[in-house]
Structure formats: structure tokens, C-alpha cells
Amino acid sequence: MPYEGVNQGHWYYTSTRCKKILTLIIIRSLKPCEITAMNLMTFSIETFSSIKTLLLKMIKNWNLITGEEEIRILRSYSERGRQLTLIYALDTMFIKFIQHSCAMFAILGYHLEHMADTENEKSDLNLDDKAYWRIISCIRQHKEIIDFVDRIESIYSTYFFLQLGYNMINMSITGTQIVLYADEMFEFIRLMLLALAQLLHLFFECWQAQQLIDHSALIHESICKAAWYRTSVKSKKLIGIMLIKTLETSKLTAGKLLVLCFECFAAKMLGDRTTSQESIVPCKLFLRATFCFCVKKGNGAYHSSKGASSEEDYASHTGSQPRERP
């Protein structure tokens, strides 16, 4: 608005020094004021429109799919996403996007496995080669799915980076509190449940990302399972190109730094020995806290039983009666 206000004003009637000041105002007003999330993501209509674009693509895919098997696959994944949102009740849009992506990968794998079902021996110049046009359609579909996943990555990458950082800090603090309050049963259980909830949240996000990786990797296997040897030479060339492309699986990252998957979850929870032997991992804090708690309780019971047995032995040797405990 300041930039437009200066341009719409009668600046040409002002003096030379006023024009110089207006020039500085115009340069300064070129950079608008923004509200960001830790200077990583800007809150704007453009950010919201990215989610709207994903929803429109989902509607388009539902309208274009007409085959019975494809509709069955899409409905099964949609029902799975609905059940997960009812159970988890967090990140519902993220779950819907991931399950829809997995469904589209499954449909693409189904098309690739049956690309040569009606293929007959034909020359390379025959434009009626059904397998050839099916492969072209699958390549276009694969590109659309990759674009869909890339848009999910662009929307949630910063969010995952902030979420993982918050989880790691919060779990480390919770682990320290568990060690400090190991003697208090109620506080110990409360902190352990809090740590478990944080751990499950991180696990669920890695689980959804792992599903995306697995389904994108199935495309390569679907091509290998298909009767590609029955297709024409030009079809085999396209299949070779698609095989090379499908070697790179789709994945989600946290700030373009960390790939979300089960391997990442296990490495962060159990500790990465290749980075540092002295690094403190939240899971280790939980295990140590549980061990300390059990040892303290066990030592108390052990010392009490040991003290009682020693008094009984002393009484048997001396012939006196063991004293009663209050």
C-alpha cells in the first residue's frame, strides 16, 4: 500500500529534495511486512493456496478414475486415511495427502503390471501399440504423482523441521525430569506417559513418510513384474527410462536436512554411533531413568530383606528373639 500510495500521489509537483525522499520511501516499501514462523515460513494466502491446490488435484484424480479396480484401490486408501484420522486425531490433512499419494502409486503400479495384457506382436511403426500408449500414460501419471508429493514436501518440510526440533528438546527435558523424579511414583508415571506421547507423535510422522517411500519403491517392482518382454522395442525403451526414474523414491524431509523414515526414527531414538559416542539421546534418558528407578526400588527391597535375614541369623546364633519392626 505505501508503494501504491506514492505512485498515485502527485509527486511530480513536489520539490527536488521531496522527490529524493519519496525515492527512498519507494525503495523501502518494496519489501512488505511479513509474519513468519521463526523466519522459515511466511504466513500468507499463497501458503494456504498450496493446500488448496493439493485438494483440487485430489478431486481431479477422483473424477478422472473410472476403472473398478482403480476406484476400489482409491476407496480403500481413503478409508484407511479416515480411520487413521479418527485414531490419531492430529495432522488430518497430512494423513489424507499421504494416503492419497499412496493410493495413486498403487493405481500406477496396477497399470504397469497389466500394461501388456492385450499386447500383440506388432512392428515398431505401429501407432496402435496399446502397451506403448499405456506406458506413456503411466509416465505422465508418475510425473503428476511426483509433482503432488513435491508440493506436500514444500508445504510440510519447514513444519517437520520445527516439529522435530521441538520434540527433541522437549523429550530431552522430559528425560532429565524422569531421572530427577525417579523416586516419586506418580510423577514418574506422568512424565513417562508424556515422553511416550511425544515419541508416538514422532513415530507416526515417520511411519506416514515411510509408507510414501515404500509405495514409490513398488513402482520399480511393478515394472519388473509386468510382461515387458512381450512389448515392442519402442515400448521397452520407455520402460528402461522409467526403470531408471523409479530408482529414486519419493520422500519427505525435515527442512531438506533429514529424511523422515523408520531408519531415521531408529537412529534418533537408539543413537547414531557414527556421529558421537557421547551424544545423549532422549530414548537413552528414558531407559536410564527406568533402570535407575527399578534399581532404587530393588535395592530398597534387597536391603530390607537382607537386614531381616541378618537379624534372624543373629537371633538363631545367640538364642535371643529378633526384635519387632515398627
Side-chain angles (χ1 to χ4, degrees):
M1 292 299 293
Y3 180 81
E4 296 178 359
V6 173
N7 291 329
Q8 293 176 1
H10 300 287
W11 54 269
Y12 40 84
Y13 290 133
T14 60
S15 61
T16 303
R17 60 179 182 178
C18 290
K19 292 177 181 178
K20 293 180 180 179
I21 296 175
L22 289 175
T23 303
L24 296 177
I25 294 176
I26 289 175
I27 296 174
R28 182 65 182 87
S29 60
L30 289 176
K31 184 179 179 181
C33 298
E34 300 174 343
I35 299 177
T36 63
M38 297 183 65
N39 294 326
L40 297 175
M41 184 178 65
T42 303
F43 293 102
S44 62
I45 299 297
E46 183 180 359
T47 306
F48 177 77
S49 63
S50 300
I51 299 178
K52 181 181 178 181
T53 304
L54 292 177
L55 294 175
L56 292 177
K57 285 188 176 182
M58 291 176 62
I59 296 174
K60 180 182 177 181
N61 292 333
W62 274 93
N63 294 330
L64 291 178
I65 293 176
T66 56
E68 295 182 358
E69 183 64 22
E70 291 87 344
I71 293 176
R72 185 193 65 80
I73 294 174
L74 200 57
R75 285 180 177 175
S76 64
Y77 280 89
S78 179
E79 180 65 21
R80 182 186 302 177
R82 187 183 68 84
Q83 294 175 358
L84 289 175
T85 54
L86 292 176
I87 296 173
Y88 188 60
L90 288 175
D91 298 331
T92 55
M93 294 300 298
F94 172 69
I95 295 173
K96 285 294 185 181
F97 292 150
I98 294 298
Q99 292 302 317
H100 182 77
S101 301
C102 294
M104 296 307 297
F105 275 123
I107 293 173
L108 177 59
Y110 172 78
H111 288 165
L112 289 171
E113 289 182 9
H114 298 82
M115 62 181 174
D117 286 354
T118 58
E119 175 71 4
N120 298 320
E121 294 184 0
K122 298 177 181 180
S123 62
D124 295 343
L125 300 177
N126 190 353
L127 297 179
D128 294 331
D129 188 350
K130 294 183 179 180
Y132 177 77
W133 294 109
R134 285 181 180 179
I135 295 171
I136 291 178
S137 177
C138 290
I139 291 175
R140 292 173 179 172
Q141 185 180 357
H142 189 229
K143 184 178 182 301
E144 291 179 359
I145 299 173
I146 291 176
D147 293 339
F148 187 84
V149 175
D150 289 341
R151 189 169 289 272
I152 297 175
E153 161 71 11
S154 63
I155 294 174
Y156 287 95
S157 178
T158 305
Y159 164 74
F160 287 142
F161 179 76
L162 298 176
Q163 185 67 36
L164 286 178
Y166 171 77
N167 274 351
M168 291 296 103
I169 296 174
N170 201 8
M171 290 171 67
S172 299
I173 295 174
T174 306
T176 305
Q177 290 178 338
I178 290 174
V179 176
L180 296 177
Y181 294 98
D183 293 333
E184 302 179 12
M185 176 66 73
F186 177 77
E187 193 69 17
F188 178 81
I189 295 175
R190 185 184 69 84
L191 292 173
M192 285 297 294
L193 292 177
L194 177 61
L196 181 61
Q198 297 168 1
L199 195 64
L200 288 177
H201 187 201
L202 180 60
F203 170 78
F204 189 84
E205 292 177 349
C206 292
W207 176 37
Q208 293 298 307
Q210 183 66 44
Q211 281 190 330
L212 183 63
I213 295 175
D214 295 340
H215 280 76
S216 61
L218 288 176
I219 303 301
H220 188 86
E221 299 180 5
S222 298
I223 297 175
C224 296
K225 291 179 181 178
W228 54 268
Y229 45 85
R230 294 169 50 191
T231 60
S232 59
V233 177
K234 60 181 180 180
S235 299
K236 293 176 182 177
K237 292 180 180 179
L238 292 179
I239 292 173
I241 296 174
M242 196 169 185
L243 279 172
I244 297 174
K245 179 60 178 177
T246 54
L247 288 175
E248 182 181 357
T249 58
S250 300
K251 53 184 176 292
L252 299 178
T253 63
K256 307 291 184 180
L257 299 175
L258 187 67
V259 179
L260 298 179
C261 58
F262 280 157
E263 184 179 357
C264 164
F265 177 79
K268 293 304 174 185
M269 291 301 101
L270 300 180
D272 190 357
R273 297 183 180 273
T274 60
T275 56
S276 175
Q277 293 291 339
E278 299 178 355
S279 60
I280 299 177
V281 183
C283 184
K284 289 184 178 180
L285 289 176
F286 304 149
L287 295 177
R288 290 175 183 175
T290 308
F291 177 76
C292 292
F293 178 78
C294 296
V295 167
K296 287 183 178 180
K297 295 300 181 183
N299 286 340
Y302 172 74
H303 288 306
S304 61
S305 62
K306 184 177 180 180
S309 60
S310 60
E311 289 184 2
E312 292 176 357
D313 294 339
Y314 175 78
S316 62
H317 285 292
T318 57
S320 60
Q321 296 293 331
R323 61 180 180 179
E324 296 182 357
R325 292 183 176 272

